[in-house]
Amino acid sequence: MKETKDLKWTFSTLGCPEMSLPEVVALAKRFDLQYLDLRTLEGRVDLPGLFQEQYGSPDNLARFLEGEGVSLTALNASLKLVGNKPEDREAFLEFVEWAEGTKVPLIRVFDGGSVGEELPAEAHEAALDTISWWRDQKRTYGWATDIGIETHDCLVSRVAMQQLQDSLEEPVPIIWDTHHTWKKAGDAVPVTWEVVKPYTRHIHIKDSISEPSARHPFTYVQLGEGEFDLPGTLQLLCAEDFAGMVSLEWERQWHPYLAPLEEALKRARELGWW
């Protein structure tokens, strides 16, 4: 059985949105981490635009990363399966050449829609349409990278997730936000795991308490100081020999009341996560 230090750890740059890529690399190295989960850099979420300005080509970016001894485990786009427009799809496709050039396995997309026990017919149809569009693109151009759907809204329920997967000939990769399926859908982590484990490639970890904040009916807190069962979740992943990425998603970009990411990374190390 794995131990927590054997899991493939990374962190989302949502926790350090002001940093440049070299600064993020330096932070990762200080904590002996070799994988990066990129969402924001220098206050920007348009990563393809930033990469173009600073590196000029995917090859140059790949050389920089290789020289630093780090890998990108995910690029995080803003596309939603449900409720997207043609311009949203075009913006998403700008991520692909950078993912391909740096061998990024997943580009994160949101589920979209609304939280509910079941997946409404209209949302189900829209999700299938977006997945079909993406797979046509991927097949046409021979891309290796794939989408990873984050369980954020309409797919936080294990019932809704299974509805979607059952209607696909080939399952779609999942980025399982363990906090959201627990908090928004009310499903215990082991219960959700039994449904999502065949599809999950990447996992988000965080903690909260049941007190309203500016954006949510809960407040994010330091690791181990909230109500989410972090020890049990990590023990489950170890017992199941989970081989995907485990990302500390410290959402300081959206919740500036959180302490700097370095404090959360220190806490994770104190807890013996790696």
Side-chain angles (χ1 to χ4, degrees):
M1 186 179 82
K2 288 183 186 290
E3 297 180 6
T4 55
K5 64 180 177 60
D6 298 320
L7 295 171
K8 293 181 180 177
W9 286 100
T10 183
F11 62 84
S12 169
T13 54
L14 273 180
C16 51
E18 74 288 351
M19 287 187 177
S20 66
L21 183 54
E23 289 171 330
V24 170
V25 168
L27 178 62
K29 287 183 171 182
R30 285 204 300 276
F31 286 89
D32 301 316
L33 299 172
Q34 65 183 88
Y35 301 105
L36 303 178
D37 183 4
L38 299 187
R39 172 56 167 157
T40 55
L41 290 170
E42 300 182 31
R44 295 170 58 173
V45 296
D46 62 325
L47 298 180
L50 183 143
F51 292 155
Q52 184 63 46
E53 292 169 16
Q54 298 187 354
Y55 297 95
S57 72
D59 285 346
N60 288 339
L61 176 58
R63 277 192 288 271
F64 166 74
L65 295 168
E66 185 177 357
E68 295 291 340
V70 297
S71 302
L72 303 184
T73 185
L75 294 179
N76 291 262
S78 299
L79 181 71
K80 297 178 180 179
L81 291 188
V82 178
N84 64 73
K85 300 176 181 178
E87 56 266 34
D88 300 321
R89 294 185 179 188
E90 288 302 312
F92 167 79
L93 289 177
E94 293 179 4
F95 281 79
V96 178
E97 67 169 323
W98 299 95
E100 287 289 293
T102 53
K103 296 183 171 56
V104 176
L106 294 177
I107 305 174
R108 188 283 307 275
V109 300
F110 289 114
D111 44 12
S114 302
V115 174
E117 177 66 14
E118 296 187 355
L119 190 59
E122 187 175 348
H124 195 169
E125 227 174 273
L128 291 177
D129 179 74
T130 304
I131 293 168
S132 177
W133 163 78
W134 161 249
R135 287 180 166 172
D136 284 345
Q137 296 284 316
K138 178 175 162 62
R139 183 168 50 251
T140 298
Y141 295 102
W143 292 328
T145 192
D146 206 350
I147 58 171
I149 304 171
E150 180 177 343
T151 55
H152 194 276
D153 294 303
C154 71
L155 295 180
V156 293
S157 160
R158 68 187 189 281
V159 174
M161 175 59 61
Q162 196 64 65
Q163 277 181 270
L164 178 66
Q165 298 288 14
D166 286 347
S167 60
L168 294 167
E169 289 186 13
E170 179 186 348
V172 65
I174 294 300
I175 294 178
W176 178 26
D177 189 308
T178 56
H179 176 274
H180 287 344
T181 56
W182 163 75
K183 193 66 176 177
K184 293 184 177 183
D187 290 336
V189 167
V191 172
T192 301
W193 174 250
E194 286 306 308
V195 172
V196 303
K197 67 180 176 181
Y199 323 117
T200 298
R201 302 258 298 275
H202 187 110
I203 286 176
H204 289 167
I205 295 287
K206 49 204 168 194
D207 205 350
S208 73
I209 55 174
S210 300
E211 292 182 10
S213 60
R215 296 171 63 107
H216 296 304
F218 54 82
T219 299
Y220 290 120
V221 295
Q222 181 59 276
L223 302 172
E225 295 181 4
E227 300 161 359
F228 182 65
D229 184 12
L230 285 170
T233 299
L234 297 181
Q235 287 168 13
L236 173 66
L237 298 180
C238 290
E240 294 283 338
D241 286 326
F242 179 63
M245 300 303 308
V246 184
S247 180
L248 170 57
E249 192 182 41
W250 192 250
E251 297 194 18
R252 197 161 188 253
Q253 164 76 7
W254 315 128
H255 305 282
Y257 61 79
L258 284 169
L261 173 61
E262 189 160 356
E263 296 304 310
L265 292 171
K266 287 178 181 176
R267 179 59 176 155
R269 196 157 60 182
E270 288 170 1
L271 292 169
W273 287 6
W274 62 76

